[in-house]
Amino acid sequence: MSKIVVVTSGKGGVGKTTTAAAIAAGLAREGQRTVVVDFDVGLRNLDLVLGCERRVVYDFVNVIQGDARLHQALIKDKRVDGLAILPASQTRDKDALTDEGVAQILDALREEFDYVICDSPAGIERGAHLASYHADEAIVVANPEVSSVRDSDRVLGLLASRTRRAELNEEPVKEHLLLSRYDPVRVEKGEMLSVDDVQEILAVDLLGVIPESQAVLNASNAGMPVILDEDSDAGQAYADVVTRFLGGERPHRFLAVERKGIFGRMFGG
Amino acid sequence: MAETVSKRVAAPVFELKGRMATLTVVRLLTTDVSAFAGQLAEKIGEAPRLLRGAPMLLDLEALSSADIDLGAITAVMRDLGAVPVAVRGGGVDAERAAEAGLGLLTADNEAPRREEAPACGATARVVESPVRSGQQIYARGSDLVVLGAVSPGAEVLADGHIHVYGALRGRALAGVQGEPRARIFCTALEAELVSVAGRYQVSDRIDEALRGQPAQVRLDGETLYIEPVCSYRTEYSLNG
């Protein structure tokens, strides 16, 4: 049974695309046939993060308008077997996405993949709505600061009311919270909300916490999903996230300030 | 002229009033007078203070046959100290009732049953999920109960009371149709705005000491009071 998973947040710049790329790569690495779809028409980024920007010929909008077949637009990832990407169009805007077109493409992708990951644009307008509308599950990415948390709260409300599942009165979209750019030092100083604060406000199952990490920027610049950087804290945190997402259990890591000293080095992760 | 004088002199000696009263209903399941007498005596023996002298309504609706000796039944009841006052059902007409010294209660005399009552006292609307930023929930014609939190940027409204069992961080407006007796109750007051019947207060003006505490909001005259839910608690502990 294939699943459509939207990665969304409301606010921009919190790490949606990084997360979509990392989770898609992680799922594929676990043997799940996975496609990741960039819904950010006009502000295409996912191809960069996945390092396939030079191989884009056709895009999402071309397929919707019938200029290309779905298979011509899908790009297979060279590093991870079973991972494909459907890039967004850079020259168009969100109005180029039609309700029926999106529905048709997602249905077609469902046939061939175990997971269809939709990388939502920021905001709550048309693009974000279309990315979330067909979702079975949602990963809501938030940063530990009030404006991001409030936007996530808003998005969670929309997931509960304006998705296909909500409109058809089906079982609601399964919601997961992913807290990214988490910095325990700043949390300790009171400059950032803690995991507990955020969970208290959002009341959603916590899928994982990704620490603020230089590795994310490095990976993104290199065009590689950070999950493939297995030595990095962020890469390991995303690997934990994928395991949890597939039903496995992993303790949450990178929540406490890393202490200097032998014990800190041994147990601090 | 004489008429007006006589009217002035004759001050009213009684008033007629319609009143709801509670009657013990004796729902007859048999026409057998002696069996009834035996069991009624037993019942009155069990609770003499409650049943002796109590006005009773004879209900014949459960009987399949209308062939019943009303006079005998009422005689038995009066002998045992009960006071039968009226009868209903069983096809008894006013004449037969009068013969037995009873009033006749028809369906018209009775108050409407609960389930037929109009929706004015409707059951509260219960919301089990958290109310998220940007969501608006209005309990029209009833109270609103929210089991989760009300997020900042969310709005809950009710014609009646509002109860929030999670933290109240958004806006809450009770009595939006103008009911001044409506109140807001919450377990943790962190609201952006609270309002009762159009009188409102923004969070800036809410007492800091109440922030995050269980609180209620009520209207007294023109003044909106935001206060702890259990204002009696300190007094209580002094006494006890």
Side-chain angles (χ1 to χ4, degrees), chain A residues 1-249:
Chain A
M1 185 57 201
S2 69
K3 276 187 182 145
I4 298 183
V5 182
V6 62
V7 178
T8 181
S9 71
K11 196 167 160 46
V14 296
K16 277 184 299 295
T17 300
T18 301
T19 298
I23 288 180
L27 287 170
R29 202 169 58 177
E30 296 293 320
Q32 309 285 337
R33 291 166 303 162
T34 305
V35 60
V36 51
V37 183
D38 192 350
F39 272 80
D40 207 348
V41 177
L43 292 167
R44 179 169 90 195
N45 278 158
L46 186 66
D47 54 328
L48 288 171
V49 173
L50 282 167
C52 61
E53 72 276 12
R54 295 189 195 174
R55 294 160 61 207
V56 176
V57 182
Y58 294 109
D59 58 49
F60 200 172
V61 173
N62 293 140
V63 181
I64 283 186
Q65 295 182 334
D67 302 333
R69 287 196 312 277
L70 185 55
H71 273 271
Q72 294 174 294
L74 285 177
I75 303 171
K76 283 204 173 70
D77 189 88
K78 285 183 171 167
R79 290 157 300 214
V80 188
D81 261 356
L83 174 63
I85 159 178
L86 180 59
S89 171
Q90 184 70 351
T91 54
R92 312 297 292 268
D93 60 31
K94 268 78 174 174
D95 294 332
L97 298 176
T98 62
D99 295 5
E100 308 78 45
V102 170
Q104 266 174 23
I105 290 181
L106 290 181
D107 277 345
L109 291 173
R110 245 187 216 279
E111 297 285 307
E112 279 181 55
F113 294 92
D114 299 315
Y115 284 96
V116 181
I117 310 289
C118 301
D119 181 21
S120 171
I124 53 173
E125 287 77 23
R126 183 170 176 78
H129 173 66
L130 282 172
S132 301
Y133 185 75
H134 297 274
D136 301 306
E137 300 196 24
I139 297 173
V140 176
V141 183
N143 289 167
E145 45 113 2
V146 282
S147 59
S148 170
V149 170
R150 178 176 298 188
D151 288 0
S152 297
D153 191 53
R154 175 87 168 109
V155 162
L156 285 163
L158 294 175
L159 286 168
S161 59
R162 288 191 51 211
T163 50
R164 188 184 59 86
R165 281 176 174 264
E167 285 175 7
L168 298 180
N169 253 327
E170 289 179 9
E171 199 183 317
V173 176
K174 193 170 171 193
E175 301 157 343
H176 308 272
L177 172 65
L178 189 134
L179 208 51
S180 62
R181 310 198 67 168
Y182 195 75
D183 185 345
V185 176
R186 296 188 63 193
V187 171
E188 207 164 70
K189 284 188 198 157
E191 296 170 359
M192 258 186 191
L193 297 174
S194 71
V195 181
D196 293 341
D197 292 339
V198 177
Q199 269 206 290
E200 218 265 306
I201 298 170
L202 294 181
V204 174
D205 160 59
L206 181 69
L207 184 60
V209 178
I210 310 300
E212 172 80 70
S213 168
Q214 183 62 35
V216 172
L217 193 61
N218 292 348
S220 169
N221 287 337
M224 177 182 86
V226 68
I227 197 169
L228 299 183
D229 183 357
E230 290 170 22
D231 296 329
S232 70
D233 48 0
Q236 291 172 21
Y238 273 118
D240 287 354
V241 162
V242 170
T243 305
R244 282 188 212 109
F245 188 74
L246 290 172
E249 292 204 9

Side-chain angles (χ1 to χ4, degrees), chain B residues 162-211:
Chain B
I162 294 176
H163 307 254
V164 181
Y165 289 96
L168 172 55
R169 302 193 176 100
R171 294 164 163 243
L173 297 91
V176 288
Q177 301 273 17
E179 172 55 66
R181 289 171 302 176
R183 295 189 188 192
I184 300 166
F185 306 92
C186 59
T187 58
L189 178 70
E190 295 166 35
E192 294 171 328
L193 177 146
V194 289
S195 159
V196 174
R199 294 264 148 194
Y200 67 88
Q201 191 74 276
V202 291
S203 79
D204 259 4
R205 315 273 316 264
I206 297 175
D207 187 357
E208 263 313 301
L210 279 174
R211 183 156 286 276

Side-chain angles (χ1 to χ4, degrees), chain A residues 157 160-161, chain B residues 124-140 142-151 153-159 161-164 171-174 176:
Chain A
S161 59
Chain B
R125 176 163 174 199
V126 179
V127 176
E128 298 197 35
S129 50
V131 185
R132 306 273 183 200
S133 186
Q135 285 182 318
Q136 191 185 51
I137 291 183
Y138 175 28
R140 190 183 299 276
S142 71
D143 295 350
L144 177 64
V145 178
V146 180
L147 299 185
V150 176
S151 292
E155 195 168 76
V156 287
L157 310 96
D159 288 348
H161 304 304
I162 294 176
H163 307 254
V164 181
R171 294 164 163 243
L173 297 91
V176 288

